Amino acid sequence: MRKYFLSLAAVSLFYTYSQACAWSDPDYEYFNLFTQSIIKDKSYLPFLHSYSTRFYADFKPSEIPDENIDAWKRFFNNQFSYAETDYLVNKMSINDLNALKKGNTTNPLLIKAGPGFYRKYSEAVDYLIEAKYLEPYMRIKYVANPNAFFYSGPQNTLNATSLDYQKTISALTSLYNTARNPEIKQRYGYQLVRFNHYTRNYDAAVHAFKTYVQPIQLKGAPYIMALDQLAGAQRGLGQDSEANWNFFQVFKDSRSRKESAFVSMKLSDTAAFNNMLKRAQTDEDKNMAYFLLGYDEFTNPIPVMEKMYAINPDSEILKVMAVRSINELERSYLPIYYYDNSNTITQTDSADNPAKASTSTTSVTEKKELSFWQKVVRFFKNLFSSPKKGDSDTATEEDDEKLLNNPNRIPLFTKNNYYYDEQKKDFLEDLEKFTDKVKEKTADEYWQIADAYLKFLKKDYKASTEILQSIKTSNPEYKEQIQRMKLLNDIVSQPRIDADYEDHLMKNYAAYFKDQPDQKKDSTSNADYYIPSPSTKDFLKDVLANRYFLQGEDAKSFLISNKLSDLQYGPDLNLVKNVEAFYRKPQKTEFEQQIIAENLDDVGNIDAFFALIYGDHAMKLGDFANAKSYYVKAQNFSGIPRKDWSDQANTIVPMKYATGAYNGFSNIPDLVFGHNVWVSYTSSPAESMEKEDYSAFPFIKPSMNKLELADALLRLKQAGNSKGAKAAKANQLIGNLLYNTSILGYYRQLFVMDLDNTNGGKYDFQNQKRKITYQYYYKNFPSLSYLEPDNFDLSIGYYNKALSLSTDREQKTRILFQMASAEQGKYYQYEANSNVNIDYSDPKWSEKQDAHQNQLDDIKNQRYRTYFTVLRNQYADTQTAQKLMGSCSYLDYFMK
């Protein structure tokens, strides 16, 4: 991981190939543009689609009213609101109710109820007093499994067995017999069933239900609660079929207990489901049974939905199945990050520009050759059009139809990297046909909205918009969904995002692209620890990033998804040039200025940032004069933009560089011209590196910035063009610097926008083997790293010159060893490009692997041991060779 504390680079690991990690959350990996919760019956909210939790939980509990509270509200003749009734039943203390009974209440709600409240509802108040007395004990006694692997923690000592069984049963039976109101009477019956269930007197619980609950011909909330307890007792008796059926009735008739009833049902096999379906007599029961089947088996929901449709096209639970199906599809069509499973990276020789290589290889159409007349027309169009009209400097020549039909135009079906992806199927066509059929049979506008959304996923934006325009509804949730989809269709259907359309975006949809004042993070909070849920704004930016990319506008595609500072993680020169060209563009549209260009402002001095990238690139190529010309412009560089935690501000802030610390431009030690004592990147410079004799070159300072370093290299190069020992030393020092700043060197971070040499992806020869090809956009740019491979022949060239000029055998030994080290780098590059993929299931895997390794060893010894061989044959007797053998085990092995 990059040295960027809690940076986008770290966060973006959440979205890429590492998404199978334990902390990855699949419910944060799509945009949820079709709001699942617009279903009318909110009691089914827990059964909406979710991967991170067993049940959907992205709603307020108050959205599912409790039928028990509703029953009490009606019982009190709607004298209280729902919230007041909930307070009275669930939260008010038993002391307040006893005070009411004695006529001296001080509770504001009971005072509001009036002095005659207890007289009118005495049986209800007496029941609530008894229920509140029992409630702390109403749980089953936990009995730990002695073989349990996990410790469940301390248990609540209060449970049903804490009460005297006979006294409690007698009291409840007496209260039952005394009560005159049937509903209150049934509530006492519920308490009898529950108490017996929780004391594990399962037979008595079943008897209590038949004796005290069932005879009262009421099927409201008290009956449902008692039935729930009866089913639990039947489960305790091993009567699984009866228990399943009664839990099923609770699931069907209750609003607030559906989730717990579903958990309590055990439909673990086909026989259990078939038994339930056989007992289902009404269409409603059969429909509900099919819903449970479809909920548990969700690889392809259409067959089950067809059965539900045949029973009742107006069924609310059919809409639940449909919205789950839409959500399943949406996860594949609208993930938060598109990546290509088969061609994310290509060999380095595939193309100079990864973005352009991607665009050219994935487009289904070839660039059309213009006729002479078309060229004339285009010439005059460009001549007389306004600057705004000719705004896309890098726009491709594809016409609108080709852009609309580009196979990489999102949304499109893709697969992510989760275990369940192998089960995913693209059933969009089937679901669209099904939805088309249902909307003809029902008046609920939901099905029209769903149909319009599926057509949006299919990229049939015209049909989607026509459906949306025709919908007449008063449902506020439906209206909001329709409005959002109209916006999506407008933006996604646009063939080319040009200046005029950018003006249209700012005029009509600016709020979707800007953070509103109340949405911005508090600078004193630690909200940066958490990844925000993907939003419509994020999706729209993805769409635009994709469109700009396909149009060839790389800079805008990059900047709408990334910060300018993100270029530090993979400073591809072509992309950098495009981004700089956008930065310097004189007449930006309002959208470019306010939405895209805002991502430029996080690197301090922008000119210096670009100059440093170019200067570093020139240094890697050994072009010291060009590097110096760029470093002159980089003197105001404020440091590689990194983040750090601030205890004082309690948040993440731009990192401040300590005095004397390397910041990407300044404070480079003269050890960069030295040589390795041993290879240890984690050791201090004094332990790993040793100085050369710089006395002949006073311009090499103990500490330099990159401008001074480039100047020193130019002077060394000039000195190296003469003859003698000084020239030999000058060339040797240049060779040292080039090697020390290569992927193998102790100072490998100097010219690749890094702060230290800590291991990471950019220092992996395997990564340098391949060049990233972006197929859809530049989103999550920091999460993939690529650096141009080092040209070790540059350092070898300078060493060779030093070797030919030197007459000192000790110096020649040192030079040869450095040349051999650089040659080793060439071998590592060859090896990284020569890997073979041998199927591990191949019975001859080990044999083939050994043969390949033997082949590599032969090539290494034949082609990449030139300078080790010369050192062994001609300089083995030098003191330097003996010293090197002591610190380099491989040289010691090779010499022997």
Side-chain angles (χ1 to χ4, degrees):
M1 189 175 292
R2 321 227 181 283
K3 284 70 74 180
Y4 188 140
F5 181 63
L6 288 179
S7 66
L8 177 60
V11 169
S12 61
L13 289 175
F14 183 74
Y15 304 128
T16 57
Y17 280 60
S18 61
Q19 57 189 334
C21 293
W23 50 266
S24 181
D25 187 346
D27 283 341
Y28 277 69
E29 300 202 351
Y30 74 109
F31 291 100
N32 196 22
L33 297 182
F34 189 90
T35 308
Q36 293 192 80
S37 57
I38 66 172
I39 58 173
K40 289 178 180 176
D41 189 342
K42 303 302 182 184
S43 67
Y44 289 100
L45 287 176
F47 299 91
L48 299 178
H49 207 10
S50 172
Y51 276 129
S52 42
T53 53
R54 184 176 184 187
F55 294 99
Y56 183 79
D58 194 15
F59 62 91
K60 297 177 181 177
S62 59
E63 291 185 66
I64 306 178
D66 188 335
E67 61 271 6
N68 184 41
I69 302 303
D70 279 339
W72 278 113
K73 186 173 180 290
R74 287 191 300 273
F75 187 92
F76 294 126
N77 200 29
N78 295 314
Q79 183 173 350
F80 304 116
S81 68
Y82 181 91
E84 289 172 333
T85 309
D86 182 47
Y87 170 70
L88 172 64
V89 174
N90 292 324
K91 302 179 182 69
M92 186 178 287
S93 73
I94 193 172
N95 295 331
D96 282 338
L97 291 177
N98 277 319
L100 171 70
K101 191 173 180 178
K102 294 174 183 176
N104 56 359
T105 182
T106 59
N107 185 284
L109 180 63
L110 298 178
I111 292 173
K112 173 186 172 183
F117 180 76
Y118 177 72
R119 186 169 57 253
K120 184 176 181 181
Y121 297 110
S122 59
E123 281 194 351
V125 174
D126 288 345
Y127 170 79
L128 287 173
I129 290 172
E130 180 66 16
K132 287 179 184 289
Y133 167 74
L134 292 173
E135 192 59 34
Y137 302 94
M138 286 301 102
R139 58 181 53 83
I140 205 161
K141 183 178 181 180
Y142 174 77
V143 179
N145 181 349
N147 298 318
F149 182 76
F150 295 104
Y151 171 62
S152 61
Q155 301 298 312
N156 191 327
T157 55
L158 293 180
N159 58 73
T161 61
S162 302
L163 296 170
D164 185 289
Y165 179 78
Q166 290 300 334
K167 285 184 179 180
T168 304
I169 291 293
S170 296
L172 287 172
T173 305
S174 175
L175 289 167
Y176 176 89
N177 291 327
T178 305
R180 295 289 174 262
N181 184 284
E183 186 173 337
I184 299 301
K185 205 175 187 69
Q186 197 176 52
R187 286 185 181 276
Y188 281 119
Y190 155 69
Q191 295 290 355
L192 281 162
V193 177
R194 181 166 71 151
F195 180 64
N196 278 300
H197 173 206
Y198 286 163
T199 55
R200 289 192 169 89
N201 290 291
Y202 300 132
D203 284 319
V206 173
H207 176 75
F209 182 85
K210 292 178 179 178
T211 306
Y212 301 111
V213 177
Q214 209 166 28
I216 300 173
Q217 299 299 309
L218 295 175
K219 293 295 181 73
Y223 178 84
I224 293 172
M225 294 189 298
L227 189 65
D228 195 23
Q229 296 297 322
L230 169 66
Q234 290 170 329
R235 181 77 71 209
L237 291 169
Q239 299 171 0
D240 288 346
S241 179
E242 292 300 318
N244 279 347
W245 179 250
N246 285 322
F247 279 128
F248 177 72
Q249 299 302 313
V250 174
F251 179 88
K252 179 167 65 76
D253 297 332
S254 169
R255 288 179 300 177
S256 60
R257 288 169 172 75
K258 287 190 187 297
E259 185 178 324
S260 63
F262 180 86
V263 171
S264 299
M265 274 186 278
K266 295 188 183 299
L267 303 176
S268 57
D269 53 38
T270 306
F273 170 78
N274 288 336
N275 183 56
M276 181 174 291
L277 194 60
K278 190 182 300 181
R279 295 186 65 166
Q281 297 299 314
T282 67
D283 284 347
E284 184 183 5
D285 284 349
K286 292 177 182 177
N287 208 20
M288 194 67 68
Y290 280 122
F291 170 77
L292 295 177
L293 175 66
Y295 180 83
D296 264 352
E297 298 180 5
F298 207 70
T299 54
N300 185 352
I302 307 299
V304 171
M305 291 170 67
E306 289 284 3
K307 293 180 182 295
M308 295 172 68
Y309 167 80
I311 295 171
N312 181 11
D314 285 312
S315 168
E316 187 70 14
I317 53 176
L318 183 57
K319 286 162 50 181
V320 177
M321 288 296 293
V323 79
R324 284 172 56 83
S325 305
I326 291 171
N327 184 267
E328 178 75 9
L329 283 171
E330 187 176 321
R331 290 167 186 268
S332 294
Y333 275 89
L334 305 176
I336 58 170
Y337 180 45
Y338 288 87
Y339 58 89
D340 179 20
N341 284 323
S342 61
N343 192 32
T344 301
I345 43 186
T346 59
Q347 301 300 330
T348 52
D349 58 359
S350 64
D352 291 330
N353 182 352
K356 293 295 173 286
S358 169
T359 305
S360 63
T361 56
T362 56
S363 177
V364 292
T365 56
E366 295 181 359
K367 193 172 179 178
K368 186 190 292 184
E369 182 65 30
L370 299 178
S371 69
F372 173 77
W373 177 248
Q374 288 173 316
K375 291 177 182 178
V376 171
V377 171
R378 180 160 296 168
F379 170 78
F380 282 104
K381 270 186 164 183
N382 292 334
L383 185 63
F384 295 109
S385 61
S386 67
K388 187 195 290 186
K389 295 285 185 185
D391 144 85
S392 295
D393 295 331
T394 59
T396 68
E397 297 298 330
E398 292 179 277
D399 57 26
D400 288 352
E401 184 178 353
K402 289 177 182 177
L403 282 172
L404 282 170
N405 293 328
N406 191 298
N408 296 324
R409 185 179 172 92
I410 61 177
L412 63 132
F413 185 81
T414 184
K415 286 188 176 183
N416 294 315
N417 253 16
Y418 287 102
Y419 66 92
Y420 52 75
D421 276 342
E422 293 305 314
Q423 307 299 322
K424 278 193 176 181
K425 291 180 171 46
D426 187 1
F427 51 85
L428 177 56
E429 291 286 345
D430 292 339
L431 185 58
E432 185 195 24
K433 290 176 185 175
F434 179 81
T435 304
D436 236 353
K437 178 170 64 176
V438 179
K439 75 176 185 180
E440 301 300 325
K441 293 285 187 179
T442 177
D444 194 332
E445 303 92 347
Y446 166 85
W447 291 100
Q448 292 173 276
I449 298 172
D451 190 35
Y453 189 77
L454 294 174
K455 285 179 169 53
F456 159 74
L457 292 182
K458 281 186 64 178
K459 305 183 184 180
D460 190 352
Y461 309 122
K462 182 181 178 182
S464 178
T465 302
E466 287 174 353
I467 293 170
L468 295 171
Q469 298 287 9
S470 69
I471 299 174
K472 303 289 187 263
T473 182
S474 58
N475 185 311
E477 289 185 300
Y478 286 3
K479 284 182 176 180
E480 184 180 345
Q481 181 66 38
I482 290 169
Q483 185 60 35
R484 186 196 305 180
M485 288 169 59
K486 286 180 178 178
L487 154 73
L488 294 174
N489 277 328
D490 184 355
I491 293 178
V492 178
S493 64
Q494 182 65 18
R496 186 188 297 276
I497 309 300
D498 56 16
D500 286 337
Y501 195 75
E502 287 175 347
D503 288 344
H504 171 72
L505 292 176
M506 290 303 294
K507 181 180 178 181
N508 297 287
Y509 308 125
Y512 284 93
F513 293 97
K514 293 181 179 179
D515 286 327
Q516 300 305 310
D518 60 336
Q519 293 176 329
K520 290 186 176 178
K521 289 182 181 177
D522 181 352
S523 60
T524 62
S525 75
N526 60 356
D528 298 80
Y529 275 123
Y530 305 100
I531 299 172
S533 179
S535 65
T536 302
K537 179 187 76 172
D538 297 323
F539 172 74
L540 293 177
K541 286 192 172 184
D542 275 12
V543 168
L544 292 182
N546 173 248
R547 301 305 188 259
Y548 288 135
F549 181 82
L550 297 179
Q551 292 169 199
E553 297 182 77
D554 294 350
K556 290 162 75 170
S557 178
F558 174 83
L559 287 171
I560 204 165
S561 300
N562 305 278
K563 293 286 190 180
L564 177 60
S565 60
D566 293 332
L567 286 174
Q568 67 184 285
Y569 297 110
D572 178 271
L573 205 61
N574 289 307
L575 179 59
V576 173
K577 288 177 180 177
N578 286 327
V579 174
E580 185 191 17
F582 173 78
Y583 161 64
R584 302 194 185 284
K585 182 180 177 182
Q587 294 181 330
K588 295 183 179 72
T589 66
E590 185 182 3
F591 186 83
E592 289 173 334
Q593 292 176 43
Q594 295 189 25
I595 308 302
I596 300 177
E598 69 173 1
N599 283 334
L600 289 166
D601 191 23
D602 74 327
V603 299
N605 188 299
I606 299 175
D607 293 305
F609 180 79
F610 282 119
L612 185 75
I613 292 176
Y614 296 139
D616 285 351
H617 189 265
M619 287 290 272
K620 293 285 283 184
L621 297 177
D623 188 351
F624 309 133
N626 205 17
K628 181 179 178 180
S629 69
Y630 283 117
Y631 288 148
V632 168
K633 303 171 187 175
Q635 293 180 81
N636 292 324
F637 184 70
S638 55
I640 296 176
R642 297 287 170 90
K643 303 288 184 181
D644 208 346
W645 175 258
S646 168
D647 290 326
Q648 184 178 3
N650 194 34
T651 190
I652 295 169
V653 298
M655 189 171 76
K656 292 183 178 179
Y657 290 89
T659 303
Y662 174 65
N663 69 352
F665 182 75
S666 302
N667 302 310
I668 302 168
D670 57 3
L671 278 172
V672 73
F673 287 107
H675 58 260
N676 283 98
V677 175
W678 66 335
V679 179
S680 174
Y681 298 109
T682 56
S683 298
S684 68
E687 292 174 302
S688 288
M689 301 296 293
E690 186 174 286
K691 288 186 179 183
E692 298 282 356
D693 180 7
Y694 309 140
S695 57
F697 311 105
F699 49 80
I700 296 179
K701 302 175 184 178
S703 179
M704 296 166 282
N705 61 35
K706 286 185 174 177
L707 176 59
E708 293 168 325
L709 185 65
D711 182 69
L713 284 163
L714 286 171
R715 294 190 185 192
L716 286 172
K717 189 174 181 180
Q718 184 178 15
N721 287 332
S722 59
K723 304 289 183 181
K726 183 176 180 180
K729 194 66 177 179
N731 283 291
Q732 182 184 1
L733 294 181
I734 297 173
N736 283 358
L737 178 129
L738 290 172
Y739 177 79
N740 290 335
T741 56
S742 74
I743 190 174
L744 294 177
Y746 186 82
Y747 291 100
R748 56 188 180 179
Q749 73 273 17
L750 286 189
F751 303 130
V752 294
M753 273 274 188
D754 208 349
L755 290 177
D756 59 47
N757 61 23
T758 307
N759 275 327
K762 64 169 60 175
Y763 303 127
D764 183 355
F765 278 96
Q766 284 292 330
N767 281 350
Q768 292 199 336
K769 160 191 171 183
R770 298 175 284 189
K771 177 173 280 189
I772 302 164
T773 62
Y774 294 87
Q775 188 169 353
Y776 304 104
Y777 46 24
Y778 291 104
K779 188 176 181 181
N780 290 345
F781 183 83
S783 67
L784 300 172
S785 63
Y786 169 78
L787 293 176
E788 293 288 344
D790 291 292
N791 184 356
F792 286 101
D793 285 329
L794 285 174
S795 57
I796 291 174
Y798 282 101
Y799 284 137
N800 216 357
K801 196 172 181 182
L803 189 68
S804 65
L805 292 170
S806 176
T807 57
D808 186 325
R809 282 176 56 78
E810 298 296 334
Q811 183 185 17
K812 285 191 171 192
T813 303
R814 165 61 62 186
I815 293 170
L816 280 167
F817 180 76
Q818 293 297 115
M819 294 172 80
S821 299
E823 192 177 40
Q824 183 83 350
K826 294 180 67 174
Y827 169 73
Y828 291 144
Q829 291 175 337
Y830 171 82
E831 183 184 53
N833 282 280
S834 302
N835 281 349
V836 293
N837 293 321
I838 305 171
D839 192 339
Y840 195 72
S841 62
D842 189 331
K844 294 187 177 181
W845 179 86
S846 180
E847 179 183 333
K848 291 180 180 179
Q849 194 72 20
D850 290 344
H852 176 64
Q853 187 58 53
N854 290 335
Q855 183 183 30
L856 288 176
D857 290 342
D858 289 342
I859 291 172
K860 177 169 56 177
N861 289 318
Q862 292 167 14
R863 301 182 194 172
Y864 297 99
R865 289 295 174 263
T866 311
Y867 306 110
F868 272 132
T869 303
V870 174
L871 195 155
R872 181 183 63 183
N873 293 341
Q874 299 180 29
Y875 297 91
D877 58 336
T878 61
Q879 292 182 6
T880 303
Q882 297 302 313
K883 184 178 179 182
L884 286 168
M885 287 167 63
S887 60
C888 177
S889 58
Y890 181 80
L891 178 62
D892 182 54
Y893 166 79
F894 189 82
M895 288 292 204
K896 295 175 180 178

